[in-house]
């Protein structure tokens, strides 16, 4: 479904943020990309949804294909029409718009009535149904994340990109988001989730990639990656508790990986 | 009675400024560019109306003028966005250049003549509540109220409006939703241009003598209006326009007793109000606080 081959991305004239990256995501599967700050996770997402230009960045090498079609030259709008939805880092709900208007904005590419999709969203996220008339800025962080995901689903995507969905959220909310990710996967949607919170991402992942300095340094099934010593040490902090995760987050990547 | 008359006159003048300010803010929210060519676009639209009105009638000429101003605004947008930069300050500066070009050409065409709009109200006046008001100003108020109501209805009740507001809020995320930002830009500028033309028609109508080369400068009164209201607030633009109109009319109407402030203080007064508002609320009466941090 989604295939990235040898993709490199540069911001202006600076060193590449992604270096010859290979990655795939399949329908009905969760693909997790984990890595520290500046590993190139968000850049990867922007390259797929086509909004690199907003940051004066561009794909300088390689190819991104979606359903066997090269998509690099397509506008973000055309990519949404083909079934790619991107839930950006930091949720980015439209603060001044109501919950329902946010959802309608998510359905901007949908022709005709969107009431069925709204009903579906409210069924999946009941907390949004109660607050449909409220301005999005008044929602809690967790609720905003739910809204951002629901908004992404409004276009009826075949591939959902989730950028750091657990960032800054309480463990209980993170659990709920993990459930939602699995539910979306079970509808046959491909889910590509990038996370610093490797514990969460790998717990739901069918496939996983570890990114370091713009390169894939490790890949495998979610189960394999969870069991790998390196991932255990660096991203799951041995036992995988939050405190230890934080402790390891700032550590420099191991040299043997970036060779 | 005089106070009431001045207030009504001020509100009617203010409603015209509100249209200009609303267009200004629509363009700013849609593309984050402060359109310094707004006065020239207003002049363009009004010029087309004045030229066509004797031949095709006022309404058809007004419609053509609105279209011309909208297209003119779109051309300015295309010119500005062709610049290979995303720095909005540079783009804003570019609009000053476009303004000089347009204004020079139009001034050349208009010359020293004063063009009439051919509007149906002419110089008739009507008595309301013991005050005498020009019919053109009553028309201006009625049309402005209708247009402003339509503007808010469209922006709050239609899918088009949701797409525009989402883009104003966060263009990058709106693009992620598949909202074509180029179309948003075109729509914002077209709306701004159209509104400017309507305002231009009424600015040229009675009690003003008609369209001359200074009409574009009058559009500058919208600048204190948008700063008072808040650069990124459509409601603020309407409020700011009314405040400027009333301030200017009240000061002009009491010019004899305010003589110690100097000649022509009416033109300056809105800027004084603007400064006072800025001291008190830097982001304008209804502007969002975030603008302070930029």
């Amino acid at each position: 479904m989604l295939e990235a081959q040898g993709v490199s991305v540069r911001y202006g004239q600076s060193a590449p943020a992604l270096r010859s990256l290979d990655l795939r995501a399949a329908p009905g599967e969760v693909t997790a990309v984990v890595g520290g700050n500046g590993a190139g996770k968000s850049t990867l997402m922007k390259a797929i949804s086509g909004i690199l230009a907003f940051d004066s960045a561009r794909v300088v090498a390689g190819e991104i294909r979606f359903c066997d079609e090269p998509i690099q030259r397509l506008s973000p709008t055309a990519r949404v029409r083909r079934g790619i939805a991107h839930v950006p880092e930091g949720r980015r709900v439209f603060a001044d718009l109501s919950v329902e208007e946010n959802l309608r904005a998510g359905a901007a590419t949908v022709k005709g009535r969107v009431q069925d999709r709204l009903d579906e969203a409210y069924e999946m996220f009941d907390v949004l149904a109660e607050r449909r008339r409220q301005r999005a800025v008044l929602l809690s962080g967790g609720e905003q994340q739910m809204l951002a995901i629901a908004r992404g689903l409004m276009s009826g995507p075949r591939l959902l990109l989730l950028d750091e969905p657990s960032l800054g959220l309480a463990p209980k909310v993170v659990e709920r988001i993990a459930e939602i990710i699995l539910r979306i996967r079970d509808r046959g949607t491909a889910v590509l989730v990038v996370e610093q919170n490797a514990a969460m991402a790998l717990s739901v992942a069918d496939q996983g990639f570890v990114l370091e300095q713009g390169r894939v340094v490790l890949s495998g099934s979610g189960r394999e990656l969870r069991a790998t010593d390196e991932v255990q040490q660096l991203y799951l902090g041995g036992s995988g508790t939050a405190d230890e995760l934080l402790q390891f987050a700032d550590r420099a990547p191991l040299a043997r990986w970036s060779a | 009675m005089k106070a009431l008359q001045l207030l009504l006159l001020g509100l009617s003048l203010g409603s015209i400024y509100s249209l200009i300010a609303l267009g200004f803010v629509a363009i700013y929210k849609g593309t984050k560019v402060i359109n310094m060519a707004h006065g020239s676009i207003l002049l363009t639209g009004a010029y087309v109306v004045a030229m066509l009105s004797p031949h095709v009638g006022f309404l058809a000429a007004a419609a053509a003028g609105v279209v011309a101003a909208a297209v003119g605004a779109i051309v300015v947008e295309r010119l500005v966005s062709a610049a290979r930069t995303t720095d909005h300050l540079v783009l804003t500066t570019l609009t000053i250049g476009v303004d000089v070009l347009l204004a020079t050409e139009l001034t050349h065409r208009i010359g020293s003549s004063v063009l009439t709009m051919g509007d149906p109200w002419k110089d008739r006046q009507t008595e309301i509540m013991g005050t005498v008001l020009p019919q053109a100003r009553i028309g201006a108020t009625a049309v402005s109220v209708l247009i402003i109501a339509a503007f808010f209805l469209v922006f709050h009740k239609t899918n088009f409006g949701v797409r525009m507001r989402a883009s104003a809020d966060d263009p990058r995320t709106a693009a992620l939703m598949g909202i074509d930002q180029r179309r948003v830009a075109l729509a914002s500028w077209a709306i701004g241009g159209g509104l400017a033309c309507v305002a231009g028609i009424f600015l040229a109508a009675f009690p003003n003598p008609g369209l001359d080369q200074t009409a574009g400068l009058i559009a500058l009164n919208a600048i204190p209006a948008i700063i008072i209201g808040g650069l990124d607030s459509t409601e603020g633009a309407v409020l700011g326009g009314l405040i400027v109109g009333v301030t200017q009319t009240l000061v002009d109407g009491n010019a004899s007793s305010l003589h110690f402030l100097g000649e022509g203080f009416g033109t300056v007064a809105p800027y004084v109000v603007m400064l006072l508002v800025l001291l008190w609320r830097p982001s304008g009466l209804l502007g969002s606080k975030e603008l302070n941090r930029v």
Side-chain angles (χ1 to χ4, degrees):
Chain A
M1 154 160 288
L2 177 82
E3 291 160 63
Q5 271 176 357
V7 171
S8 299
V9 172
R10 256 177 208 279
Y11 288 82
Q13 297 302 316
S14 56
L18 289 183
R19 299 157 197 250
S20 191
L21 178 127
D22 296 323
L23 179 143
R24 1 172 106 242
E29 278 188 9
V30 176
T31 307
V33 177
V34 298
N37 241 336
K41 305 188 302 298
S42 291
T43 303
L44 170 66
M45 299 302 236
K46 289 175 191 167
I48 299 170
S49 60
I51 58 154
L52 284 173
F54 277 87
D55 301 316
S56 316
R58 62 198 177 91
V59 175
V60 290
E63 188 174 58
I64 304 172
R65 300 171 76 84
F66 181 65
C67 298
D68 295 322
E69 182 196 11
I71 55 169
Q72 263 148 265
R73 298 193 175 281
L74 297 178
S75 68
T77 307
R79 299 190 203 198
V80 175
R81 288 225 168 86
R82 279 168 177 72
I84 299 175
H86 178 167
V87 179
E89 183 180 356
R91 311 184 265 277
R92 295 237 160 226
V93 295
F94 299 116
D96 282 339
L97 273 59
S98 70
V99 166
E100 183 146 325
E101 285 171 338
N102 265 275
L103 295 175
R104 284 185 182 280
T109 54
V110 178
K111 298 249 182 290
R113 287 170 54 80
V114 294
Q115 192 57 50
D116 292 351
R117 289 176 195 236
L118 283 174
D119 293 343
E120 211 178 306
Y122 290 140
E123 189 260 324
M124 193 162 177
F125 302 91
D126 40 8
V127 56
L128 299 181
E130 297 156 21
R131 307 186 159 221
R132 62 176 78 187
R133 304 256 166 260
Q134 265 186 35
R135 283 171 68 207
V137 70
L138 300 174
L139 301 183
S140 71
E143 289 163 347
Q144 286 190 7
Q145 187 61 59
M146 305 289 173
L147 176 57
I149 296 174
R151 183 182 63 180
L153 291 173
M154 287 297 287
S155 61
R158 290 188 282 173
L159 168 65
L160 185 68
L161 310 173
L162 295 173
D163 195 345
E164 304 266 8
S166 75
L167 194 70
L169 299 180
K172 254 216 157 94
V173 185
V174 175
E175 259 172 54
R176 171 97 178 92
I177 285 171
E179 278 167 38
I180 288 166
I181 291 175
L182 294 177
R183 231 179 117 179
I184 296 167
R185 175 196 70 181
D186 292 341
R187 307 195 310 190
T189 310
V191 181
L192 180 61
V193 52
V194 307
E195 271 289 0
Q196 282 191 55
N197 181 350
M200 182 274 204
L202 293 177
S203 73
V204 296
D206 298 292
Q207 293 292 321
F209 295 83
V210 178
L211 219 57
E212 292 281 354
Q213 297 184 332
R215 276 201 186 92
V216 173
V217 290
L218 211 58
S219 68
S221 72
R223 185 190 300 267
E224 283 165 7
L225 285 183
R226 279 194 297 276
T228 315
D229 281 348
E230 286 97 324
V231 174
Q232 281 278 331
Q233 276 185 21
L234 252 145
Y235 295 104
L236 301 178
S239 59
T241 63
D243 278 355
E244 281 166 304
L245 205 64
L246 281 174
Q247 211 180 316
F248 284 93
D250 293 331
R251 230 168 79 172
L254 297 178
R256 65 195 146 101
W257 283 359
S258 35
Chain B
M1 243 349 82
K2 188 189 169 197
L4 180 66
Q5 168 144 15
L6 286 178
L7 183 68
L8 290 178
L9 269 176
L11 285 174
S12 69
L13 179 63
S15 69
I16 302 174
Y17 290 152
S18 293
L19 288 180
I20 306 175
L22 193 57
F24 225 101
V25 170
I27 289 171
Y28 177 75
K29 291 189 73 138
T31 55
K32 307 292 177 285
V33 175
I34 297 173
N35 176 27
M36 299 309 284
H38 214 62
S40 302
I41 290 170
L42 176 149
L43 203 54
T44 308
Y47 177 75
V48 169
V49 179
M51 287 294 108
L52 291 180
S53 195
H55 308 292
V56 298
F58 172 69
L59 275 184
V66 167
V67 172
V71 171
I74 287 175
V75 171
V76 177
E77 194 276 332
R78 290 283 82 203
L79 277 175
V80 168
S81 67
R84 298 172 66 90
T85 175
T86 48
D87 185 338
H88 298 121
L89 189 61
V90 174
L91 298 180
T92 296
T93 311
L94 264 174
T95 64
I96 299 179
V98 175
D99 184 66
V100 171
L101 279 177
L102 267 176
T104 309
E105 172 62 17
L106 284 163
T107 307
H108 176 68
R109 280 171 176 268
I110 296 171
S112 56
S113 53
V114 177
L115 306 169
T116 53
M117 289 289 120
D119 60 275
W121 302 287
K122 304 224 164 47
D123 57 355
R124 284 195 294 270
Q125 310 223 39
T126 298
E127 213 183 300
I128 297 177
M129 295 183 283
T131 67
V132 181
L133 294 174
Q135 284 187 6
R137 280 292 165 81
I138 299 172
T141 311
V143 170
S144 302
V145 167
L146 280 178
I147 289 178
I148 290 166
F151 181 96
F152 282 100
L153 211 61
V154 166
F155 272 69
H156 286 269
K157 295 293 173 201
T158 67
N159 288 332
F160 167 78
V162 167
R163 291 200 292 272
M164 296 295 282
R165 282 164 53 225
S167 303
D169 195 323
D170 184 347
R172 178 192 300 245
T173 307
L176 281 184
M177 303 297 122
I179 302 170
D180 188 339
Q181 291 305 291
R182 215 175 114 172
R183 280 198 203 174
V184 169
L186 292 184
S188 314
W189 281 73
I191 290 170
L195 291 176
C197 175
V198 176
I201 294 171
F202 287 117
L203 277 183
F206 190 76
N208 290 343
L211 185 71
D212 58 24
Q213 35 171 298
T214 60
L217 294 178
I218 299 177
L220 288 181
N221 283 330
I223 291 178
I226 54 174
I227 302 294
I228 289 169
L231 190 51
D232 64 342
S233 165
T234 45
E235 291 87 349
V238 175
L239 181 65
L242 294 177
I243 291 174
V244 169
V246 170
T247 307
Q248 208 180 341
T249 313
L250 284 181
V251 172
D252 275 339
N254 295 299
S256 52
S257 46
L258 294 170
H259 194 67
F260 62 93
L261 288 169
E263 202 92 354
F265 186 65
T267 326
V268 183
Y271 290 90
V272 175
V273 175
M274 177 182 93
L275 279 175
L276 293 177
V277 169
L278 279 180
L279 288 175
W280 171 47
R281 285 182 69 102
S283 53
L285 294 176
L286 301 176
S288 60
K289 290 264 157 50
E290 273 104 330
L291 281 180
N292 292 336
R293 288 191 233 123
V294 176

